[in-house]
Amino acid sequence: MAPVTSILFAALTAATLTSLTDAAASSSPPWLAAVPPPPCVAPPSAVAFLRARCSATPYGVACYDALVPYACTFQTSPVKLARAAADVNLARLRGLSMRVKEVVASRGSAGGAGAEAAALRDCASTVASAAGLAKQSAAELAKLDAAGAAAAGRNRVRWAIANAQTWLSASMANEATCADGIAVAGAAASLAAREVVIGVLSAKEHTTIALALVNGIPVPS
């Protein structure tokens, strides 16, 4: 199967995709809201740490922008940073899942048949599954954070990283399946489908960031 990006760009013109992405970036819908940031100011060391870690991810700017509000919670801890990224990713996927379900429900009996409707229904299922997998990853990182990487030991850390990697990778696969299904069905001309596609692309970006930060967790010697 062709990569999700190539299918999407075949279904959406570059101009349309750019305008939709810009609109989403300038005014994020409520359902893309993440975890409320804590009322604290991060020290410069935490900000520098985040900038360095984000530069090693595929989406450095998005990584920094999404996580800098939480910098005082992770300071310079790779585990706490990965946990924060997983929590933000989970919140966004939950919001997206709710929105896709709303889109499907709003269509009701009108427009309930056909390739687009079927693709959106499938998307609701796969995004919900992606959110469930993201929840498992976030929970695994929370347990590792609570135990402390140094105290947990090499095997426990490796196990937690492997689990988080598996679940985040599976979540990304579900996100790609949703977007591919909409594009293959030729449904991208619909405003509702475009909204879902942009949401899924944004979610996939944040899942990728979380996975990259999990990959950066050092294993104790």
Side-chain angles (χ1 to χ4, degrees):
M1 179 178 289
V4 60
T5 49
S6 64
I7 294 177
L8 288 172
F9 275 99
L12 294 170
T13 66
T16 300
L17 185 58
T18 299
S19 63
L20 286 168
T21 304
D22 289 345
S26 61
S27 179
S28 295
W31 50 268
L32 278 182
V35 184
C40 57
V41 178
S45 58
V47 175
F49 169 76
L50 174 63
R51 197 180 299 278
R53 288 281 172 167
C54 283
S55 68
T57 72
Y59 305 102
V61 174
C63 171
Y64 180 84
D65 289 346
L67 296 174
V68 71
Y70 313 95
C72 64
T73 66
F74 52 74
Q75 299 286 323
T76 59
S77 166
V79 173
K80 291 181 182 296
L81 173 57
R83 178 184 179 182
D87 287 343
V88 168
N89 178 55
L90 172 58
R92 293 178 70 91
L93 272 170
R94 280 175 168 167
L96 175 61
S97 179
M98 291 176 60
R99 179 55 186 154
V100 177
K101 289 176 182 177
E102 288 174 357
V103 169
V104 171
S106 68
R107 301 179 70 81
S109 57
E116 177 183 319
L120 288 172
R121 286 195 297 269
D122 289 345
C123 198
S125 175
T126 54
V127 171
S129 178
L133 291 161
K135 180 180 179 180
Q136 289 179 270
S137 177
E140 187 70 41
L141 292 169
K143 288 189 291 184
L144 179 60
D145 182 21
R154 180 180 179 85
N155 289 339
R156 176 67 184 87
V157 174
R158 289 174 64 91
W159 177 256
I161 292 173
N163 284 340
Q165 288 170 331
T166 297
W167 290 322
L168 287 170
S169 296
S171 182
M172 289 174 62
N174 276 277
E175 292 157 7
T177 297
C178 166
D180 279 351
I182 290 176
V184 169
S190 160
L191 289 176
R194 290 180 192 177
E195 179 189 5
V196 171
V197 167
I198 294 302
V200 169
L201 288 177
S202 177
K204 189 169 182 286
E205 187 172 289
H206 285 273
T207 307
T208 302
I209 290 168
L211 178 58
L213 294 174
V214 168
N215 292 341
I217 296 175
V219 178
S221 56

